[in-house]
Amino acid sequence: MIKDKYFYKTFFSLFFVVALQNLIVFSVNLADSIMLGSYSETAMSGVSLANQIQFLLQMFVNGAANGLVVIASQYWGKKHLEPIKKVFAAAFFAGVAISLVIMTAVLISPEGVLNILSNEAEIVKEGARYIEIMAFTYIIFAVTNILIALMRSVEAVRIGFYTSLFAFVFNVGLNYCLIFGNFGFPEMGVIGAAVATLVSRIVEFIAVLVYVFVIDKKLKLRPKDVLSLEKTYIKDYIKAGLPLIGSGGSWGIAMTVQTSIIGRLGAAAIGANGVAAPIFQVVSVLYTSSGNASSVLIGKTVGEKDIPRVKKYSKKLQIMYIIIGLISCVCLLLARDSIISMYDVTAETAALSATFINILAVTVIGSSYEAPCLCGIVSGGGDTGFVFKNDIIFMWCIVLPLAFLSAFVFNWPVAVTFFILKSDQLTKCLVAIPKVNRYKWIRVLTHEENEAKAS
């Protein structure tokens, strides 16, 4: 475990920077939630609902971005740069199309979209005021993250961290001014939080554009490369990327359905989820980032055709995932009371929030193992379809039906329903262990290799 310096240098250089970037991205929503939580519980709960649509978008976009990373990292291992640009063009248009569809739906009927998630009229009304403005960030968010994923695939990860950090600081400052009306600004409440996030996303977008098209010397991307779609690489991207888009989208929709179930269990449940979900998203960056780093590391090594090293790395990574899960569990438990105390919520909501966080502290151990195993090692190694099939079976065929029965047929306690909704993070480990250790997921995705195989 301790002799391979290249492995640790590569993995941790990717992991820590990506983790910090993801932490900051999630912290933008957390900042909105915490600052609005001290302003109004109704506003906080409304924004919590609205952020589920942002989360849905993020899952779809992450799927599109991961499809790019899986293919591009293999080309990076071969040091073939031009095909990376061709695959990027396909991913770019996929991300724009996804964000445009979600933005259109939200702008047509913001309250209609949020009514799917909750029947609490006041909460939905506050969320609709927020999401009407946030919808204009969706395309910006998608393009920014596709560009950052492009840089991550060639091991240039610092730009994502720096731009996200600047956007976060900018957002918190504007939140303080626009939510509460400080420093002579008008008191805008939930609308102020939305405006602050929109401005921050625009600033982040401009910074990423400047880096990718002006500063970066690895790919030397040009504006015309964005439009350089080629049929061959579109097919390659669809074959490898579409399952990841489907997986990300399926997961995002499932989380939205989960929010809809919780949203019909009363105001206390909505508020507790509004407290627990953002802090869990922040802690979850540890395992999502380990998956992102693993995907690049495994994909690059597959591209280098060093299969024995791929197998060796997969074993080391699994041990590290378990350690990350235990750390995540401890972090949630230690942060629980401090986070809850930041919110101006009722005693019932605070007590239920603590229960939700306790449940998440247990299930995050499973998440930290199965998610990076399947989304990092297996997908990064080329088998991008397995994760999608696995999510469909566990989430849509088992978890959601059981949770629906718990909530609306058997009328079990809210905490039991919440645990059922998160239980797949433990049961998926039973699938991840044999899958990742059989090595049938090692597949070459680069176009040249596919042509050679076909001939």
Side-chain angles (χ1 to χ4, degrees), residues 5 21 36 42 81 88 122 135 178 210 220 228 386 397 399 403 405 416:
K5 293 182 180 180
Q21 180 209 339
L36 283 169
T42 301
L81 301 184
F88 160 73
E122 288 300 315
L178 297 178
V210 171
K220 299 179 180 178
S228 62
F386 181 80
C397 299
V399 168
L405 292 174
V416 173

mmCIF file with all atom_site columns, all heavy atoms in Angstrom, residues 5 21 36 42 81 88 122 135 178 210 220 228 386 397 399 403 405 416:
data_model
loop_
_atom_site.group_PDB
_atom_site.id
_atom_site.type_symbol
_atom_site.label_atom_id
_atom_site.label_alt_id
_atom_site.label_comp_id
_atom_site.label_asym_id
_atom_site.label_entity_id
_atom_site.label_seq_id
_atom_site.pdbx_PDB_ins_code
_atom_site.Cartn_x
_atom_site.Cartn_y
_atom_site.Cartn_z
_atom_site.occupancy
_atom_site.B_iso_or_equiv
_atom_site.pdbx_formal_charge
_atom_site.auth_seq_id
_atom_site.auth_comp_id
_atom_site.auth_asym_id
_atom_site.auth_atom_id
_atom_site.pdbx_PDB_model_num
ATOM 1   N N   . LYS A 1 5   ? 4.818   5.402  -5.252  1.00 0.00 ? 5   LYS A N   1
ATOM 2   C CA  . LYS A 1 5   ? 4.757   6.860  -5.105  1.00 0.00 ? 5   LYS A CA  1
ATOM 3   C C   . LYS A 1 5   ? 3.959   7.511  -6.234  1.00 0.00 ? 5   LYS A C   1
ATOM 4   O O   . LYS A 1 5   ? 3.247   8.496  -6.010  1.00 0.00 ? 5   LYS A O   1
ATOM 5   C CB  . LYS A 1 5   ? 6.177   7.433  -5.064  1.00 0.00 ? 5   LYS A CB  1
ATOM 6   C CG  . LYS A 1 5   ? 6.962   7.034  -3.821  1.00 0.00 ? 5   LYS A CG  1
ATOM 7   C CD  . LYS A 1 5   ? 8.341   7.677  -3.810  1.00 0.00 ? 5   LYS A CD  1
ATOM 8   C CE  . LYS A 1 5   ? 9.123   7.273  -2.557  1.00 0.00 ? 5   LYS A CE  1
ATOM 9   N NZ  . LYS A 1 5   ? 10.475  7.887  -2.535  1.00 0.00 ? 5   LYS A NZ  1
ATOM 10  N N   . GLN A 1 21  ? -12.757 21.686 -4.839  1.00 0.00 ? 21  GLN A N   1
ATOM 11  C CA  . GLN A 1 21  ? -13.639 22.329 -5.814  1.00 0.00 ? 21  GLN A CA  1
ATOM 12  C C   . GLN A 1 21  ? -15.088 21.906 -5.593  1.00 0.00 ? 21  GLN A C   1
ATOM 13  O O   . GLN A 1 21  ? -15.992 22.755 -5.546  1.00 0.00 ? 21  GLN A O   1
ATOM 14  C CB  . GLN A 1 21  ? -13.214 21.962 -7.235  1.00 0.00 ? 21  GLN A CB  1
ATOM 15  C CG  . GLN A 1 21  ? -14.102 22.616 -8.300  1.00 0.00 ? 21  GLN A CG  1
ATOM 16  C CD  . GLN A 1 21  ? -14.184 21.799 -9.566  1.00 0.00 ? 21  GLN A CD  1
ATOM 17  O OE1 . GLN A 1 21  ? -13.320 20.975 -9.832  1.00 0.00 ? 21  GLN A OE1 1
ATOM 18  N NE2 . GLN A 1 21  ? -15.219 22.025 -10.349 1.00 0.00 ? 21  GLN A NE2 1
ATOM 19  N N   . LEU A 1 36  ? -30.359 31.829 4.546   1.00 0.00 ? 36  LEU A N   1
ATOM 20  C CA  . LEU A 1 36  ? -31.810 31.983 4.499   1.00 0.00 ? 36  LEU A CA  1
ATOM 21  C C   . LEU A 1 36  ? -32.466 31.316 5.708   1.00 0.00 ? 36  LEU A C   1
ATOM 22  O O   . LEU A 1 36  ? -33.537 31.730 6.142   1.00 0.00 ? 36  LEU A O   1
ATOM 23  C CB  . LEU A 1 36  ? -32.368 31.383 3.211   1.00 0.00 ? 36  LEU A CB  1
ATOM 24  C CG  . LEU A 1 36  ? -32.170 32.242 1.963   1.00 0.00 ? 36  LEU A CG  1
ATOM 25  C CD1 . LEU A 1 36  ? -32.507 31.447 0.705   1.00 0.00 ? 36  LEU A CD1 1
ATOM 26  C CD2 . LEU A 1 36  ? -33.023 33.508 2.030   1.00 0.00 ? 36  LEU A CD2 1
ATOM 27  N N   . THR A 1 42  ? -39.350 29.274 6.238   1.00 0.00 ? 42  THR A N   1
ATOM 28  C CA  . THR A 1 42  ? -40.115 29.045 5.007   1.00 0.00 ? 42  THR A CA  1
ATOM 29  C C   . THR A 1 42  ? -39.255 29.296 3.783   1.00 0.00 ? 42  THR A C   1
ATOM 30  O O   . THR A 1 42  ? -39.278 28.526 2.812   1.00 0.00 ? 42  THR A O   1
ATOM 31  C CB  . THR A 1 42  ? -41.364 29.951 4.977   1.00 0.00 ? 42  THR A CB  1
ATOM 32  O OG1 . THR A 1 42  ? -42.181 29.684 6.106   1.00 0.00 ? 42  THR A OG1 1
ATOM 33  C CG2 . THR A 1 42  ? -42.181 29.712 3.706   1.00 0.00 ? 42  THR A CG2 1
ATOM 34  N N   . LEU A 1 81  ? -4.066  14.170 -28.452 1.00 0.00 ? 81  LEU A N   1
ATOM 35  C CA  . LEU A 1 81  ? -4.824  15.333 -27.992 1.00 0.00 ? 81  LEU A CA  1
ATOM 36  C C   . LEU A 1 81  ? -5.991  15.727 -28.893 1.00 0.00 ? 81  LEU A C   1
ATOM 37  O O   . LEU A 1 81  ? -7.034  16.163 -28.402 1.00 0.00 ? 81  LEU A O   1
ATOM 38  C CB  . LEU A 1 81  ? -3.881  16.528 -27.831 1.00 0.00 ? 81  LEU A CB  1
ATOM 39  C CG  . LEU A 1 81  ? -2.706  16.337 -26.853 1.00 0.00 ? 81  LEU A CG  1
ATOM 40  C CD1 . LEU A 1 81  ? -1.924  17.630 -26.723 1.00 0.00 ? 81  LEU A CD1 1
ATOM 41  C CD2 . LEU A 1 81  ? -3.187  15.860 -25.495 1.00 0.00 ? 81  LEU A CD2 1
ATOM 42  N N   . PHE A 1 88  ? -14.866 16.330 -26.713 1.00 0.00 ? 88  PHE A N   1
ATOM 43  C CA  . PHE A 1 88  ? -15.343 17.492 -25.956 1.00 0.00 ? 88  PHE A CA  1
ATOM 44  C C   . PHE A 1 88  ? -16.501 18.171 -26.665 1.00 0.00 ? 88  PHE A C   1
ATOM 45  O O   . PHE A 1 88  ? -17.483 18.572 -26.022 1.00 0.00 ? 88  PHE A O   1
ATOM 46  C CB  . PHE A 1 88  ? -14.210 18.491 -25.739 1.00 0.00 ? 88  PHE A CB  1
ATOM 47  C CG  . PHE A 1 88  ? -14.700 19.870 -25.413 1.00 0.00 ? 88  PHE A CG  1
ATOM 48  C CD1 . PHE A 1 88  ? -15.255 20.160 -24.177 1.00 0.00 ? 88  PHE A CD1 1
ATOM 49  C CD2 . PHE A 1 88  ? -14.627 20.888 -26.359 1.00 0.00 ? 88  PHE A CD2 1
ATOM 50  C CE1 . PHE A 1 88  ? -15.728 21.436 -23.882 1.00 0.00 ? 88  PHE A CE1 1
ATOM 51  C CE2 . PHE A 1 88  ? -15.095 22.161 -26.077 1.00 0.00 ? 88  PHE A CE2 1
ATOM 52  C CZ  . PHE A 1 88  ? -15.646 22.440 -24.828 1.00 0.00 ? 88  PHE A CZ  1
ATOM 53  N N   . GLU A 1 122 ? -46.961 27.669 0.848   1.00 0.00 ? 122 GLU A N   1
ATOM 54  C CA  . GLU A 1 122 ? -46.071 28.786 1.160   1.00 0.00 ? 122 GLU A CA  1
ATOM 55  C C   . GLU A 1 122 ? -44.624 28.457 0.808   1.00 0.00 ? 122 GLU A C   1
ATOM 56  O O   . GLU A 1 122 ? -43.877 29.304 0.307   1.00 0.00 ? 122 GLU A O   1
ATOM 57  C CB  . GLU A 1 122 ? -46.184 29.155 2.639   1.00 0.00 ? 122 GLU A CB  1
ATOM 58  C CG  . GLU A 1 122 ? -47.488 29.849 3.005   1.00 0.00 ? 122 GLU A CG  1
ATOM 59  C CD  . GLU A 1 122 ? -47.663 31.150 2.224   1.00 0.00 ? 122 GLU A CD  1
ATOM 60  O OE1 . GLU A 1 122 ? -46.687 31.930 2.135   1.00 0.00 ? 122 GLU A OE1 1
ATOM 61  O OE2 . GLU A 1 122 ? -48.765 31.386 1.709   1.00 0.00 ? 122 GLU A OE2 1
ATOM 62  N N   . ALA A 1 135 ? -32.926 29.647 -12.856 1.00 0.00 ? 135 ALA A N   1
ATOM 63  C CA  . ALA A 1 135 ? -33.020 28.961 -14.148 1.00 0.00 ? 135 ALA A CA  1
ATOM 64  C C   . ALA A 1 135 ? -32.029 29.521 -15.161 1.00 0.00 ? 135 ALA A C   1
ATOM 65  O O   . ALA A 1 135 ? -31.532 28.789 -16.027 1.00 0.00 ? 135 ALA A O   1
ATOM 66  C CB  . ALA A 1 135 ? -34.452 29.061 -14.692 1.00 0.00 ? 135 ALA A CB  1
ATOM 67  N N   . LEU A 1 178 ? -27.571 41.158 -0.093  1.00 0.00 ? 178 LEU A N   1
ATOM 68  C CA  . LEU A 1 178 ? -28.870 41.163 -0.762  1.00 0.00 ? 178 LEU A CA  1
ATOM 69  C C   . LEU A 1 178 ? -29.972 40.445 0.017   1.00 0.00 ? 178 LEU A C   1
ATOM 70  O O   . LEU A 1 178 ? -31.144 40.787 -0.131  1.00 0.00 ? 178 LEU A O   1
ATOM 71  C CB  . LEU A 1 178 ? -28.738 40.534 -2.151  1.00 0.00 ? 178 LEU A CB  1
ATOM 72  C CG  . LEU A 1 178 ? -27.818 41.282 -3.136  1.00 0.00 ? 178 LEU A CG  1
ATOM 73  C CD1 . LEU A 1 178 ? -27.730 40.531 -4.463  1.00 0.00 ? 178 LEU A CD1 1
ATOM 74  C CD2 . LEU A 1 178 ? -28.325 42.698 -3.366  1.00 0.00 ? 178 LEU A CD2 1
ATOM 75  N N   . VAL A 1 210 ? -11.559 32.122 -19.833 1.00 0.00 ? 210 VAL A N   1
ATOM 76  C CA  . VAL A 1 210 ? -10.251 32.758 -19.999 1.00 0.00 ? 210 VAL A CA  1
ATOM 77  C C   . VAL A 1 210 ? -9.139  31.725 -19.834 1.00 0.00 ? 210 VAL A C   1
ATOM 78  O O   . VAL A 1 210 ? -8.181  31.687 -20.618 1.00 0.00 ? 210 VAL A O   1
ATOM 79  C CB  . VAL A 1 210 ? -10.074 33.926 -18.998 1.00 0.00 ? 210 VAL A CB  1
ATOM 80  C CG1 . VAL A 1 210 ? -8.638  34.429 -19.022 1.00 0.00 ? 210 VAL A CG1 1
ATOM 81  C CG2 . VAL A 1 210 ? -11.037 35.053 -19.328 1.00 0.00 ? 210 VAL A CG2 1
ATOM 82  N N   . LYS A 1 220 ? -4.638  23.600 -25.682 1.00 0.00 ? 220 LYS A N   1
ATOM 83  C CA  . LYS A 1 220 ? -4.691  24.762 -26.572 1.00 0.00 ? 220 LYS A CA  1
ATOM 84  C C   . LYS A 1 220 ? -6.007  24.785 -27.353 1.00 0.00 ? 220 LYS A C   1
ATOM 85  O O   . LYS A 1 220 ? -6.041  24.890 -28.582 1.00 0.00 ? 220 LYS A O   1
ATOM 86  C CB  . LYS A 1 220 ? -3.497  24.768 -27.533 1.00 0.00 ? 220 LYS A CB  1
ATOM 87  C CG  . LYS A 1 220 ? -2.156  24.857 -26.819 1.00 0.00 ? 220 LYS A CG  1
ATOM 88  C CD  . LYS A 1 220 ? -0.982  24.843 -27.804 1.00 0.00 ? 220 LYS A CD  1
ATOM 89  C CE  . LYS A 1 220 ? 0.348   24.920 -27.073 1.00 0.00 ? 220 LYS A CE  1
ATOM 90  N NZ  . LYS A 1 220 ? 1.502   24.865 -28.003 1.00 0.00 ? 220 LYS A NZ  1
ATOM 91  N N   . SER A 1 228 ? -16.526 21.566 -33.613 1.00 0.00 ? 228 SER A N   1
ATOM 92  C CA  . SER A 1 228 ? -15.913 20.560 -34.495 1.00 0.00 ? 228 SER A CA  1
ATOM 93  C C   . SER A 1 228 ? -16.489 19.171 -34.244 1.00 0.00 ? 228 SER A C   1
ATOM 94  O O   . SER A 1 228 ? -15.806 18.249 -33.832 1.00 0.00 ? 228 SER A O   1
ATOM 95  C CB  . SER A 1 228 ? -14.390 20.537 -34.295 1.00 0.00 ? 228 SER A CB  1
ATOM 96  O OG  . SER A 1 228 ? -14.070 20.175 -32.960 1.00 0.00 ? 228 SER A OG  1
ATOM 97  N N   . PHE A 1 386 ? -22.849 -0.450 -16.734 1.00 0.00 ? 386 PHE A N   1
ATOM 98  C CA  . PHE A 1 386 ? -23.220 -1.218 -15.557 1.00 0.00 ? 386 PHE A CA  1
ATOM 99  C C   . PHE A 1 386 ? -23.852 -0.345 -14.474 1.00 0.00 ? 386 PHE A C   1
ATOM 100 O O   . PHE A 1 386 ? -24.832 -0.743 -13.841 1.00 0.00 ? 386 PHE A O   1
ATOM 101 C CB  . PHE A 1 386 ? -21.997 -1.944 -14.981 1.00 0.00 ? 386 PHE A CB  1
ATOM 102 C CG  . PHE A 1 386 ? -22.317 -2.773 -13.777 1.00 0.00 ? 386 PHE A CG  1
ATOM 103 C CD1 . PHE A 1 386 ? -22.882 -4.024 -13.914 1.00 0.00 ? 386 PHE A CD1 1
ATOM 104 C CD2 . PHE A 1 386 ? -22.073 -2.288 -12.499 1.00 0.00 ? 386 PHE A CD2 1
ATOM 105 C CE1 . PHE A 1 386 ? -23.195 -4.791 -12.798 1.00 0.00 ? 386 PHE A CE1 1
ATOM 106 C CE2 . PHE A 1 386 ? -22.387 -3.047 -11.379 1.00 0.00 ? 386 PHE A CE2 1
ATOM 107 C CZ  . PHE A 1 386 ? -22.953 -4.302 -11.526 1.00 0.00 ? 386 PHE A CZ  1
ATOM 108 N N   . CYS A 1 397 ? -36.610 -0.123 -8.607  1.00 0.00 ? 397 CYS A N   1
ATOM 109 C CA  . CYS A 1 397 ? -37.356 -1.370 -8.396  1.00 0.00 ? 397 CYS A CA  1
ATOM 110 C C   . CYS A 1 397 ? -37.462 -1.775 -6.935  1.00 0.00 ? 397 CYS A C   1
ATOM 111 O O   . CYS A 1 397 ? -38.317 -2.602 -6.586  1.00 0.00 ? 397 CYS A O   1
ATOM 112 C CB  . CYS A 1 397 ? -36.715 -2.511 -9.201  1.00 0.00 ? 397 CYS A CB  1
ATOM 113 S SG  . CYS A 1 397 ? -36.714 -2.241 -10.983 1.00 0.00 ? 397 CYS A SG  1
ATOM 114 N N   . VAL A 1 399 ? -35.936 0.496  -3.733  1.00 0.00 ? 399 VAL A N   1
ATOM 115 C CA  . VAL A 1 399 ? -35.957 1.557  -2.717  1.00 0.00 ? 399 VAL A CA  1
ATOM 116 C C   . VAL A 1 399 ? -37.214 2.421  -2.802  1.00 0.00 ? 399 VAL A C   1
ATOM 117 O O   . VAL A 1 399 ? -37.931 2.604  -1.802  1.00 0.00 ? 399 VAL A O   1
ATOM 118 C CB  . VAL A 1 399 ? -34.685 2.423  -2.814  1.00 0.00 ? 399 VAL A CB  1
ATOM 119 C CG1 . VAL A 1 399 ? -34.838 3.683  -1.972  1.00 0.00 ? 399 VAL A CG1 1
ATOM 120 C CG2 . VAL A 1 399 ? -33.480 1.629  -2.347  1.00 0.00 ? 399 VAL A CG2 1
ATOM 121 N N   . ALA A 1 403 ? -40.196 2.741  -0.048  1.00 0.00 ? 403 ALA A N   1
ATOM 122 C CA  . ALA A 1 403 ? -40.376 4.015  0.656   1.00 0.00 ? 403 ALA A CA  1
ATOM 123 C C   . ALA A 1 403 ? -41.795 4.548  0.484   1.00 0.00 ? 403 ALA A C   1
ATOM 124 O O   . ALA A 1 403 ? -42.383 5.108  1.420   1.00 0.00 ? 403 ALA A O   1
ATOM 125 C CB  . ALA A 1 403 ? -39.361 5.037  0.142   1.00 0.00 ? 403 ALA A CB  1
ATOM 126 N N   . LEU A 1 405 ? -44.511 2.725  0.067   1.00 0.00 ? 405 LEU A N   1
ATOM 127 C CA  . LEU A 1 405 ? -45.357 1.928  0.948   1.00 0.00 ? 405 LEU A CA  1
ATOM 128 C C   . LEU A 1 405 ? -45.186 2.355  2.411   1.00 0.00 ? 405 LEU A C   1
ATOM 129 O O   . LEU A 1 405 ? -46.164 2.457  3.161   1.00 0.00 ? 405 LEU A O   1
ATOM 130 C CB  . LEU A 1 405 ? -45.013 0.444  0.796   1.00 0.00 ? 405 LEU A CB  1
ATOM 131 C CG  . LEU A 1 405 ? -45.363 -0.208 -0.549  1.00 0.00 ? 405 LEU A CG  1
ATOM 132 C CD1 . LEU A 1 405 ? -44.825 -1.631 -0.607  1.00 0.00 ? 405 LEU A CD1 1
ATOM 133 C CD2 . LEU A 1 405 ? -46.875 -0.200 -0.772  1.00 0.00 ? 405 LEU A CD2 1
ATOM 134 N N   . VAL A 1 416 ? -38.048 6.111  9.570   1.00 0.00 ? 416 VAL A N   1
ATOM 135 C CA  . VAL A 1 416 ? -37.979 4.807  8.907   1.00 0.00 ? 416 VAL A CA  1
ATOM 136 C C   . VAL A 1 416 ? -38.028 4.986  7.400   1.00 0.00 ? 416 VAL A C   1
ATOM 137 O O   . VAL A 1 416 ? -37.255 4.366  6.645   1.00 0.00 ? 416 VAL A O   1
ATOM 138 C CB  . VAL A 1 416 ? -39.125 3.889  9.386   1.00 0.00 ? 416 VAL A CB  1
ATOM 139 C CG1 . VAL A 1 416 ? -39.148 2.591  8.579   1.00 0.00 ? 416 VAL A CG1 1
ATOM 140 C CG2 . VAL A 1 416 ? -38.987 3.594  10.873  1.00 0.00 ? 416 VAL A CG2 1
#
